[in-house]
Amino acid sequence: MSEQAPVAETISPTEEALELLQKRFKKTVRRDDREGYGGIVVDASRLEKVAAAIHDDLGYDYLSSATAVDYLGQGDHVEMVYHAYRIAGGPALVFKAQTPRDEAVLPTLTGVWPGVDFQEREAWDLMGIRFDGHPNLKRILMWEGFHGHPLRKDWHEPFFEEELKPFGSRWPDGHVQRSEEHNPYGKNVQYPAEWSPEAYESPAEPAIYDNINLGVDVRTDLATDRVIVSLGPQHPSTHGVFRMVVRLDGETIEGLEPVMGYLHRNHEKIGERNTFIQNMPYTDRLDYICSLSNNLGYAISIEQLMALGARYEPPTYRAEVIRVLMAELTRIVNHVWAIGFLLNDLGAFFTPMMYAVIERELILDFFEATTGSRMMCNYMRFGGVAADIPARIRGVANLINDRVRDMNTMDYLHSLIHERLPRAIDQLDEYLTTSEIMTNRCMGVGVLTRDDAIAYSAAGPVLRASGVPYDVRRAEPYSIYPDLDFDVAVRYHGDVYDRYLVRLDELRQSIRILKQVLPLLNDTDGQPVFTGRGVYSPRVPAGESYGRVENPKGELGFYVVSEGKQNPRRYHVRAPSFINLTALEQMCKGHKVADVVAILGSIDIVLGETDR
């Protein structure tokens, strides 16, 4: 099923909010008048009450993103930046709260928007903001014994070189040296004062188990029907190094806590040391199934900042057409992969996945011909794309008797979009939708109600399978999506089965979009695809931006703060894989252990994006 989601509003959310909030809260609410900034600033002491008014009275029922920013040397405070939306569509209301760095405390907003839970834990973990009243405030990406808060500007790792790239040590007199070479393994760690690894007892397990409130002593010599089971982080069903600590009464789940961070590499700290353009290939490594969509979200965020300057030129229409072509092909790549692996999780090992992967490989052939890579494409640029699509897709002979392909690219795309992909989608539908494996294991399992999906900030197919026709491409359109005819896929039961059906619906809507894009590629042939005048690393004007796209897994957002230099001051990723896990416990309660595997598979996470 599908619906036309509302189109974005044109009135300013800031003006509307200020009029109401200043009447009620007086001078504790003010406009953010910093150059290049927007939204409102709320006094920390009134943050919870103001947030409740924003939710209840102004109707901003969906909190998408919560970002912590360190302003060391610029007021010496840390700031929380919230992006709230109306689920009916329209732009964000951006509101902020500031607190001193040396005693960073803010009230939790989990009572207003439960979906901020993991995001507040992330802000505590990486930036050191304590949220009073949070139900489970502890580290989420770093290990419990970690020393310090690594996204603070004054935190440096043991092999710290310089604050910003490019590092001068990379080419002294042409002789490259790296600090890692001077910090041998075992010597490149730092410990808190009076701490040693030999005497350390991890607080991580007690922190998890105590919070689960088992209600009985955990003993190995006592038979009991109430037990704790750890699924992962090496379990094949967790799709990577991810762990679920499950409290069971017999086979029935009473509680569940996701444990993540095993793959965390401080992507955002790296991003704040890189130049703006150096971050583009790093976005490939987030959801590595969807590198081109990741590229697009980041490019839009930086282009919003560049638009604050006088010399900015937006991407050409052809560049936008190519961007949408790549984004929708990426959506198909992701969804066939997600459906194939969901069947793996249900026990239909490999056969459905291998059927799904055939067409995925054909799309990757086109990606490789255009970008030079099959997965880590690094293709979008600020002001367009790196290169036009090639006239022909050619192969090379690596071995004797290799068959070399040489095809016209437009003919290849036409065959793919009009014939191969629709046929493959119909085949998946025919084989899977009425299969007993799907219906018996998925119907009524992992139900997330409409209200809970909104409250927990769910996004993408997880949100739309719960009866919420919210899609960023319609709610706040970008690129050429306003010119295209497509529906927002939506289902209404909120279970594993409907999350599968929504992805199937979205595959068909992507084909519908791509059939409209092909003529636009012909019509714009010969137009430039890059307006950056050869400058790949411009000086981005000072200010803030939040660029977001409807990625296959949900809303992917990049909050970026620029100081007018070649490196961002703040670079934050609103990762749908991470935030969609907030509702995992709610989906799993009352079900069996085997159902957890199906429910997790229906969320469709990638750990590179979850942990960053």
Side-chain angles (χ1 to χ4, degrees), residues 21 25 35 73 111 118 134 172 225 238 249 337 361 372 374 452 464 522 584:
L21 296 175
F25 300 103
E35 182 182 358
F118 286 8
H134 191 285
D225 289 333
T238 59
D249 183 359
W337 201 241
E361 288 298 306
R374 301 181 72 81
D452 282 346
R464 291 187 286 276
N522 285 321
L584 180 59

Side-chain angles (χ1 to χ4, degrees), residues 348-507:
F349 288 114
F350 294 111
T351 300
M353 188 270 288
M354 294 308 295
Y355 269 83
V357 83
I358 296 170
E359 266 61 39
R360 175 182 182 266
E361 288 298 306
L362 295 175
I363 295 173
L364 296 190
D365 286 346
F366 170 65
F367 287 171
E368 182 179 22
T370 304
T371 72
S373 177
R374 301 181 72 81
M375 287 185 66
M376 312 301 180
C377 295
N378 183 23
Y379 180 61
M380 307 292 179
R381 296 292 181 268
F382 314 140
V385 295
D388 207 333
I389 62 174
R392 303 191 69 81
I393 297 176
R394 291 190 174 93
V396 295
N398 295 312
L399 301 172
I400 297 174
N401 296 325
D402 271 0
R403 185 174 65 178
V404 178
R405 294 187 302 169
D406 187 353
M407 300 164 289
N408 179 280
T409 300
M410 291 303 296
D411 291 343
Y412 183 84
L413 289 174
H414 187 279
S415 173
L416 195 63
I417 292 166
H418 284 272
E419 299 172 17
R420 290 293 302 254
L421 292 176
R423 187 166 61 244
I425 294 166
D426 290 344
Q427 187 181 59
L428 285 174
D429 190 359
E430 179 184 359
Y431 290 164
L432 301 181
T433 302
T434 59
S435 164
E436 288 185 11
I437 293 177
M438 290 295 297
T439 56
N440 292 353
R441 292 290 308 280
C442 299
M443 284 185 171
V445 174
V447 173
L448 187 66
T449 67
R450 181 185 190 278
D451 290 343
D452 282 346
I454 296 169
Y456 282 107
S457 302
V462 177
L463 179 65
R464 291 187 286 276
S466 295
V468 184
Y470 188 85
D471 186 310
V472 178
R473 294 172 296 175
R474 285 295 191 219
E476 194 177 14
Y478 55 93
S479 190
I480 64 166
Y481 283 109
D483 303 338
L484 301 172
D485 181 29
F486 67 98
D487 296 324
V488 175
V490 61
R491 297 279 172 160
Y492 296 92
H493 297 101
D495 56 8
V496 171
Y497 191 67
D498 272 12
R499 288 191 276 279
Y500 154 74
L501 290 177
V502 160
R503 291 188 175 94
L504 204 61
D505 295 339
E506 290 187 4
L507 286 170

Side-chain angles (χ1 to χ4, degrees), residues 15-31:
E15 299 303 322
E16 178 191 23
L18 278 172
E19 182 178 355
L20 182 144
L21 296 175
Q22 287 184 334
K23 286 180 182 178
R24 184 179 306 178
F25 300 103
K26 309 301 180 187
K27 294 182 179 180
T28 58
V29 177
R30 60 179 174 83
R31 186 191 309 275

Side-chain angles (χ1 to χ4, degrees), residues 61-75:
D61 49 356
Y62 185 75
L63 186 73
S64 170
S65 176
T67 305
V69 186
D70 185 3
Y71 284 99
L72 176 65
Q74 297 185 8

